[in-house]
Amino acid sequence: MKSLSIIASVLLIVSSVMAQEGATVPVTNTGGASTYSCDPNTCKIENNCRCASVNAPGGLSPADTPQFVTVTYDDSVQEALMKTALSMVNVTNPNGCPGHGTWFVSMEYTDFSLVQQWYAAGNEVADHTFSHVGTPSAQEISSVREMLNAYAGIPVSKIQGFRAPFLNYTKDTLNIVGQQQFVYDSSSSAVTDDVYWPYTLDNGMANDCWTGICAAGQVKLPGLWEIPMYSVLNTANVPQLMDVYLAGTATETSQWSQAAFDKHYNGNRQPFGIYVHPTHLSTYAGTPDPKEKFDAVIKLIKDISAKPNVWFVTNQQLLQWMKNPVKASELGAQDYMQCKQPVIAKEICNGLDDDHNGAIDDGLVNSCNFGTTSMKTCFNCPATAPSLSSPVPASSAQNGTAGYRYPLGDGCDTTWWDPIGNTCLCTSSDCQVKSMAVPKSNTNTTDSTSDASSQDSNGSNGSNGSNGASGLVSHFASTAIIAVLFAGLSQIL
Ligand SMILES: *[C@@H]1O[C@H](CO)[C@@H](O)[C@H](O)[C@H]1NC(C)=O
Ligand SMILES: *[C@@H]1O[C@H](CO)[C@@H](O)[C@H](O)[C@H]1NC(C)=O
Ligand SMILES: *[C@@H]1O[C@H](CO)[C@@H](O)[C@H](O)[C@H]1NC(C)=O
Ligand SMILES: *[C@@H]1O[C@H](CO)[C@@H](O)[C@H](O)[C@H]1NC(C)=O
Ligand SMILES: *[C@@H]1O[C@H](CO)[C@@H](O)[C@H](O)[C@H]1NC(C)=O
Ligand SMILES: *[C@@H]1O[C@H](CO)[C@@H](O)[C@H](O)[C@H]1NC(C)=O
Ligand SMILES: *[C@@H]1O[C@H](CO)[C@@H](O)[C@H](O)[C@H]1NC(C)=O
Ligand SMILES: [Zn+2]
């Protein structure tokens, strides 16, 4: 008998969560796995349908399959957390482009100017509800997209993913996610027999069946992808999901994680995930220093990124590949794997250091103060603090007056939009872009398990087509870590 245990935090969390998420449960799926059936002859990718399977799509052999690694982050975006998050995708993919990750953002305590930087660097931003509640209303989910669009300038169409707070996803929540036309959910877990590649919910859920979610009549959402969260087994074979580094010593958790990675890498190459709450790996005055755990996680990341055909990608990049799987040797040339930044000579408030003076958006970010709370944004400050019932209140500045910031223009991507000048600096396909690709220095050509030929692919192609992807921003204001708002400490999942 194995059990599912999500080691969450040294801190108190809602006891019902422990009861639910920490309970010992059988892995053999009496909850309905046996009822999942899917016919690959009718469920075809041309119709945005894919059956749950442990085998790679497109009939690719493991040797031809890229090993994807997804690093994901949950909860609010703040300065110290962002620094931690960036250091966890500070790797170079085989095509010379930087690794990227996915942040499931909740709105409270979030710095929207940092969200914009995260996105501008080529990373993904996804929805984790407004106020981090276990049973979210439709408004809890939709307000996140409105706010990320209004205050971080992210096109709504680029906010495609959802993760349930406390991973407490239900049929009702998934139905809302489907109604709001998200591309994917990533709240479920996969342990041993249910380590499926991402699949669509046309035929219901196929993993995590112990919750009963797989039973007939539960979920049927054609076209909505499920990206399972892949767990790591500890020495006692107990699956660990998020924040594995909290479940043992740094040495132990490195060993468990390395073994789990090897199982994927030497097996069918299902994606491997590293799922974190950056708070636990960030250093704060007055709390125990997690540096040893942090260093161990970084070492794991560097070690696995040095192996042939290992790619650190966003969930959106992973799904792009799922929809059109190509051999590992061809991945580096795909549009969605390029890394380009716009060439803009003057600083605009777009999340990038356009004038290369070492500071992002310097002097252009708005600080909005609402008395007890505050937020930062390249866009207009709302006249009152955003709330669940009014996530994007009217702005304090008026259109046409000095200081007004213009919302992201239709069809413009974030990095090209000047909110002060009210202009999109790229409206055609031949805008000047600069590739951020660098030669990969630690290329390991002794891959015994794959053809390794992706090492030759050239990501630094001067071709255009701005995909929004761009280089990893490595600049940080080196100010002392400011006291982070911690009212949300119970909100750790
Ligand atoms: C990324 O790694 C390089 C080299 O190891 C290091 O100099 C740099 O500070 C790192 N950046 C971040 C954001 O961790
Ligand atoms: C999880 O969802 C169920 C069903 O909506 C609810 O009863 C439970 O309280 C939720 N758990 C948490 C921690 O919010
Ligand atoms: C480079 O760009 C050209 C033109 O867009 C394209 O045909 C070619 O496949 C690209 N090569 C790589 C390695 O990206
Ligand atoms: C600002 O005002 C101009 C002129 O009245 C109008 O064309 C434009 O749509 C307004 N923009 C916004 C974002 O309200
Ligand atoms: C290169 O890969 C081989 C086989 O996977 C491994 O034994 C070796 O340690 C790797 N070398 C480096 C420098 O990562
Ligand atoms: C990679 O692309 C760059 C820019 O187009 C080019 O200068 C270089 O020769 C290419 N390298 C290979 C190996 O194709
Ligand atoms: C971008 O693409 C357009 C049309 O495909 C082409 O005319 C232009 O030369 C390209 N620019 C660069 C920098 O590759
Ligand atoms: Zn959370």
Side-chain angles (χ1 to χ4, degrees), residues 25-296:
V25 295
V27 161
T28 40
N29 298 299
T30 50
S34 56
T35 68
Y36 179 82
S37 73
C38 183
D39 179 359
N41 294 315
T42 53
C43 174
K44 291 174 180 294
I45 202 66
E46 302 91 271
N47 308 319
N48 196 32
C49 188
R50 180 178 149 85
C51 296
S53 170
V54 295
N55 296 315
L60 290 176
S61 68
D64 279 335
T65 304
Q67 177 63 60
F68 293 108
V69 177
T70 57
V71 187
T72 75
Y73 315 84
D74 283 11
D75 303 352
S76 64
V77 177
Q78 303 171 17
E79 190 172 354
L81 308 179
M82 171 105 150
K83 189 167 190 286
T84 300
L86 284 173
S87 60
M88 297 182 71
V89 284
N90 188 13
V91 296
T92 303
N93 279 331
N95 69 346
C97 283
H100 292 309
T102 303
W103 202 315
F104 293 89
V105 189
S106 51
M107 298 294 95
E108 291 178 315
Y109 318 114
T110 278
D111 177 335
F112 292 91
S113 68
L114 293 179
V115 175
Q116 191 166 354
Q117 292 178 22
W118 176 254
Y119 176 82
N123 298 299
E124 180 178 348
V125 176
D127 191 324
H128 195 49
T129 76
F130 180 91
S131 57
H132 206 281
V133 286
T135 308
S137 63
Q139 174 79 351
E140 276 280 353
I141 297 171
S142 62
S143 56
V144 172
R145 273 178 158 169
E146 291 172 48
M147 289 180 74
L148 292 174
N149 178 250
Y151 303 123
I154 300 174
V156 170
S157 65
K158 298 286 176 69
I159 306 165
Q160 302 183 351
F162 176 80
R163 174 169 293 160
F166 314 105
L167 307 182
N168 192 38
Y169 73 99
T170 61
K171 172 189 177 183
D172 291 345
T173 301
L174 288 177
N175 281 336
I176 297 170
V177 169
Q179 275 155 20
Q180 295 186 9
Q181 309 207 316
F182 280 83
V183 173
Y184 72 90
D185 169 75
S186 184
S187 309
S188 69
S189 55
V191 180
T192 44
D193 300 334
D194 57 359
V195 182
Y196 300 125
W197 284 82
Y199 62 97
T200 60
L201 297 176
D202 296 56
N203 298 284
M205 290 281 298
N207 60 302
D208 223 357
C209 295
W210 65 275
T211 61
I213 194 75
C214 302
Q218 279 290 306
V219 174
K220 198 168 197 177
L221 293 163
L224 181 66
W225 287 78
E226 179 62 28
I227 304 181
M229 297 173 72
Y230 304 97
S231 59
V232 166
L233 296 181
N234 73 7
T235 317
N237 270 352
V238 177
Q240 308 294 326
L241 197 54
M242 294 198 73
D243 308 315
V244 171
Y245 45 83
L246 296 178
T249 65
T251 309
E252 284 170 338
T253 54
S254 296
Q255 284 167 356
W256 304 338
S257 300
Q258 183 69 55
F261 172 83
D262 289 345
K263 214 156 109 187
H264 288 229
Y265 190 65
N266 300 327
N268 285 341
R269 297 215 163 164
Q270 291 98 326
F272 180 72
I274 300 174
Y275 314 115
V276 303
H277 289 98
T279 42
H280 301 312
L281 293 173
S282 305
T283 301
Y284 302 103
T287 61
D289 192 347
K291 189 166 186 316
E292 195 193 352
K293 293 181 191 304
F294 173 75
D295 288 346

Side-chain angles (χ1 to χ4, degrees), residues 456-463:
D456 302 325
S457 74
N458 192 346
S460 52
N461 195 333
S463 75

Side-chain angles (χ1 to χ4, degrees), residues 363-379:
L364 300 176
V365 173
N366 266 334
S367 281
C368 318
N369 288 299
F370 311 112
T372 52
T373 60
S374 65
M375 62 179 240
K376 287 185 180 170
T377 175
C378 280
F379 295 86

